[in-house]
Amino acid sequence: MLNALHNDAVGKLILRIAVGGLMLLHGFAKLTHPETMSWISGLLDGYGLPRFLAYGVLIGEIVAPVMAIVGWQTRLAGLLMAGNMLVAFILVHTGELFMLGDSGGWALELQGLFLAGSLALIFLGSGRLAMRPD
């Protein structure tokens, strides 16, 4: 019975769907609320960076998650999502790095889990249950 629960391919599929699917929802929210893209552009401008770089978030939150979900270039998808999260930490969440939320957990636990899950995809790859296993 316990041997049947040892299935790396299913575990990697669950990780790809969870990280990619949840990140994808954030990307769709940005597409359906264009004011969010303007806000991100303003943040970049404040750091002296070109405003058009804000559209890179769509690569990290739409293109890469779809790649991860279907299992195509999963390691690259993980890298793109991890990069997206690192930029989010720097631009938006730096002041919260050492804060706790109202429930006692880390204030950035969602962002931290996205980053950790993306890093796991880089190191684990897609598994056998993928469009292009790696």
Side-chain angles (χ1 to χ4, degrees), residues 21-106:
L22 293 171
M23 184 80 82
L24 185 61
L25 294 174
H26 286 267
F28 282 141
K30 287 176 179 69
L31 281 179
T32 58
H33 297 92
E35 64 275 5
T36 306
M37 295 304 295
S38 297
W39 179 75
I40 295 169
S41 296
L43 282 174
L44 289 166
D45 196 32
Y47 280 88
L49 297 169
R51 294 176 71 86
F52 74 87
L53 291 177
Y55 292 97
V57 76
L58 300 178
I59 294 170
E61 294 186 10
I62 293 180
V63 176
V66 169
M67 291 168 61
I69 291 167
V70 301
W72 180 76
Q73 298 289 326
T74 300
R75 294 177 197 273
L76 175 59
L79 182 65
L80 292 170
M81 290 187 291
N84 183 75
M85 292 315 304
L86 288 174
V87 171
F89 271 100
I90 292 167
L91 291 181
V92 182
H93 301 292
T94 305
E96 300 169 273
L97 279 175
F98 302 105
M99 294 177 65
L100 297 178
D102 294 336
S103 63
W106 185 30

Side-chain angles (χ1 to χ4, degrees), residues 114-128:
F114 278 145
L115 178 59
S118 298
L119 291 172
L121 288 174
I122 293 169
F123 291 104
L124 292 172
S126 64
R128 289 181 291 113

